[in-house]
């Protein structure tokens, strides 16, 4: 048979193989007790209403048939089993029936719904108290309390055991889920760290090499287009100088990547003192650059970011700017370092060297990582790059 939900046939769950073993084992055990006449009560007992010798086999068969339901339909199995146990109490009785019933109570708490797991122990406890107090009060005989003890052994003890096992199982499952979530968060952190490091390396590579490669492209174009030996020699000299410097920068970056120490930086890390050499190199490449730098002690991260922003701005001026003066200004005020680079700008001019378009994004990222601000765009006929970098404490 199959259950249909929303037009989709879903097969009913099948009983577990171990439950079949329990059912068959309990049934055979009960039969082995019945054959030699071993019963829970004697025929002279006044509670025995059904004296037929074969009568105990009826509730035994019924309760054994409930065992395959102990996982898939635990509440149904317990209800039918309770009826079978009640029937067993008016016969000579079978110990196997009682044992199988205790297993049904245990399974109903362990495998049932959360509501069943909460209610069954309380019901079993109430019946235990009721089964002990009421007979003792009616019969005025303390031996009536033994009925409550029997109910406790048959119902309350397996219910409490099932609740205890279920609590441990739920706690283990919760711990497993927390471990999986922790592993997932750790993997997400690792992926974010890898992505951030790749972005950092990409920015460093772009800022270190783009300036030299742009100068090489521009001067090689000039050398190929002009039929002037002196101009060609000058262009080749600039090309060679930028090639050598570009290779040195590449070696520095490879040294960072190969370094075994995670925070170790090579001694050649750019500083603001290197801006003078950077500006001189830009002048050699054909830019008319003026530097105006007034600042005190600057933390290393801010120093590197300012240097790279100036370097990328000069590279963009070399590739995209029109002829004219380029001005680089650095000022320290109000707890921040303010960087400003302006260059001639004519809309519609084609770049003199191809670019990746990642320069502005890289400068913006550098400023954002320090909690600063970055702006770039036309301003009174010039292209202006403005960055404000907070002077946080350096390492």
């Amino acid at each position: 048979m199959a259950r249909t939900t929303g037009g989709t046939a879903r097969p009913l769950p099948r009983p577990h193989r171990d439950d079949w073993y329990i059912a068959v084992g309990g049934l055979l055990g009960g039969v082995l007790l019945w054959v030699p006449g071993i019963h829970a009560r004697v025929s002279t007992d006044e509670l025995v209403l059904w004296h037929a010798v074969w009568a105990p086999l009826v509730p035994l068969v019924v309760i054994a048939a409930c065992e395959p339901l102990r996982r898939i339909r635990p509440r149904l199995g317990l209800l039918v089993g309770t009826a079978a146990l009640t029937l067993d109490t008016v016969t000579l009785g079978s110990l196997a029936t009682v044992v199988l019933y205790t297993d049904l109570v245990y399974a109903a708490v362990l495998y049932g719904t959360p509501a069943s797991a909460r209610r069954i122990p309380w019901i079993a406890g109430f019946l235990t108290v009721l089964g002990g107090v009421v007979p003792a009060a009616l019969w005025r005989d303390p031996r009536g309390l033994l009925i409550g003890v029997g109910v406790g052994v048959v119902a309350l003890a397996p219910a409490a055991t099932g609740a205890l096992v279920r609590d441990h199982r739920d706690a283990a499952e919760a711990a497993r889920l927390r471990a999986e979530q922790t592993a997932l968060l750790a993997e997400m952190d690792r992926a974010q760290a890898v992505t951030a490091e790749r972005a950092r390396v990409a920015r460093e590579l772009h800022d270190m090499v783009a300036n030299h490669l742009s100068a090489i492209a521009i001067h090689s174009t000039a050398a190929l287009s002009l039929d002037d030996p002196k101009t060609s020699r000058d262009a080749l000299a600039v090309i060679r100088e930028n090639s050598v410097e570009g290779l040195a920068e590449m070696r520095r970056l490879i040294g960072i990547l190969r370094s075994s120490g995670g925070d170790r930086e090579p001694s050649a890390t750019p500083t603001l003192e290197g801006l003078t050499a950077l500006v001189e190199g830009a002048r050699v490449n054909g830019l008319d650059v003026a530097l105006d730098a007034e600042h005190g002690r600057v933390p290393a991260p801010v120093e590197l970011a300012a240097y790279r922003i100036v370097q990328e701005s000069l590279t963009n001026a070399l590739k995209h700017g029109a002829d004219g003066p380029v001005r680089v200004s650095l000022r320290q005020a109000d707890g921040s370092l303010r960087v400003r680079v302006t260059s001639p700008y004519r809309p519609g001019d084609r770049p003199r060297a191809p670019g990746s378009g990642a320069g502005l994004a890289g400068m913006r990222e550098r400023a954002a990582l320090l909690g600063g601000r970055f702006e770039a765009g036309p301003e009174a006929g010039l292209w202006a790059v403005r960055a404000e970098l907070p002077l946080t404490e350096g390492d």
Side-chain angles (χ1 to χ4, degrees):
M1 293 181 63
R3 176 181 297 173
T4 302
T5 303
T8 302
R10 187 175 60 185
L12 292 174
R14 301 179 62 182
H16 195 275
R17 182 179 59 182
D18 292 344
D19 298 339
W20 286 110
Y21 293 157
I22 295 174
V24 174
L27 182 61
L28 291 177
V31 171
L32 290 176
L33 291 175
W34 173 80
V35 169
I38 301 176
H39 303 294
R41 288 171 288 278
V42 296
S43 60
T44 57
D45 194 328
E46 60 183 11
L47 296 177
V48 177
L49 303 178
W50 194 1
H51 293 274
V53 177
W54 51 268
L57 295 179
V58 176
L60 175 64
V61 171
V62 173
I63 206 165
C66 294
E67 284 294 338
L69 303 176
R70 64 193 298 274
R71 297 175 198 260
I72 59 176
R73 295 288 186 272
R75 187 164 56 180
L76 176 62
L78 179 60
L79 291 175
V80 177
T82 302
L85 183 66
T86 302
L87 178 61
D88 182 76
T89 59
V90 299
T91 69
L92 295 176
S94 173
L95 292 177
T97 302
V98 177
V99 172
L100 289 176
Y101 181 77
T102 61
D103 181 67
L104 290 177
V105 176
Y106 170 82
V109 176
L110 181 60
Y111 300 114
T113 62
S116 297
R118 290 192 302 269
R119 293 170 184 167
I120 292 175
W122 284 102
I123 295 173
F126 174 75
L127 293 177
T128 299
V129 175
L130 192 65
V133 173
V134 172
L138 292 178
W139 299 342
R140 299 185 182 280
D141 188 345
R143 286 180 296 179
L145 295 174
L146 295 176
I147 297 178
V149 174
V151 175
V153 172
V154 173
L156 180 59
T161 303
L164 183 63
V165 173
R166 181 170 181 140
D167 288 343
H168 282 292
R169 187 188 65 178
D170 292 345
E173 179 66 15
R176 185 186 66 82
L177 291 177
R178 285 195 299 269
E180 290 182 353
Q181 291 175 353
T182 302
L184 179 61
L185 291 175
E187 179 62 21
M188 291 175 61
D189 290 342
R190 187 195 67 81
Q192 291 176 355
V194 170
T195 302
E197 184 63 16
R198 291 178 64 179
R200 186 184 76 86
V201 172
R203 284 194 303 269
E204 290 292 325
L205 180 62
H206 177 273
D207 293 344
M208 287 191 303
V209 180
N211 183 48
H212 300 298
L213 293 182
S214 298
I216 291 172
I218 292 172
H219 286 279
S220 60
T221 300
L224 292 173
S225 60
L226 298 177
D227 189 14
D228 182 358
K230 183 179 183 306
T231 302
S232 298
R233 281 195 302 271
D234 293 341
L236 290 175
V238 173
I239 290 172
R240 184 185 183 284
E241 180 180 351
N242 280 277
S243 300
V244 172
E245 292 179 358
L247 287 173
E249 295 282 8
M250 284 292 295
R251 292 191 189 98
R252 191 182 73 83
L253 179 59
I254 292 173
I256 295 175
L257 297 177
R258 287 181 174 175
S259 173
S260 57
D263 325 41
R264 181 177 169 271
E265 288 285 347
S267 58
T269 300
T271 64
L272 294 182
E273 295 179 357
L275 287 179
T276 302
L278 182 64
V279 168
E280 289 297 330
R283 289 171 182 160
V284 172
N285 290 332
L287 289 179
D288 179 11
V289 187
L291 174 64
D292 181 15
E294 293 183 5
H295 58 81
R297 184 178 179 275
V298 178
V302 179
E303 198 168 18
L304 177 61
Y307 181 94
R308 292 303 188 197
I309 289 173
V310 173
Q311 184 182 44
E312 179 60 25
S313 299
L314 295 179
T315 300
N316 288 340
L318 180 64
K319 291 193 295 185
H320 304 283
D323 293 334
V326 178
R327 297 292 178 262
V328 178
S329 171
L330 282 84
R331 290 287 186 274
Q332 185 173 332
D334 300 330
S336 63
L337 180 66
R338 297 175 181 177
V339 181
R340 177 182 172 87
V341 182
T342 59
S343 58
Y345 166 73
R346 283 199 299 268
D349 283 356
R350 297 185 61 184
R352 288 173 286 186
S356 64
L360 292 178
M363 290 189 284
R364 185 173 290 106
E365 288 175 0
R366 288 186 182 278
L369 287 173
L370 296 174
R373 293 183 297 175
F374 175 83
E375 296 177 354
E379 181 183 286
L382 300 174
W383 182 267
V385 173
R386 298 175 297 277
E388 185 172 339
L389 309 175
L391 297 177
T392 55
E393 285 295 325
D395 293 336

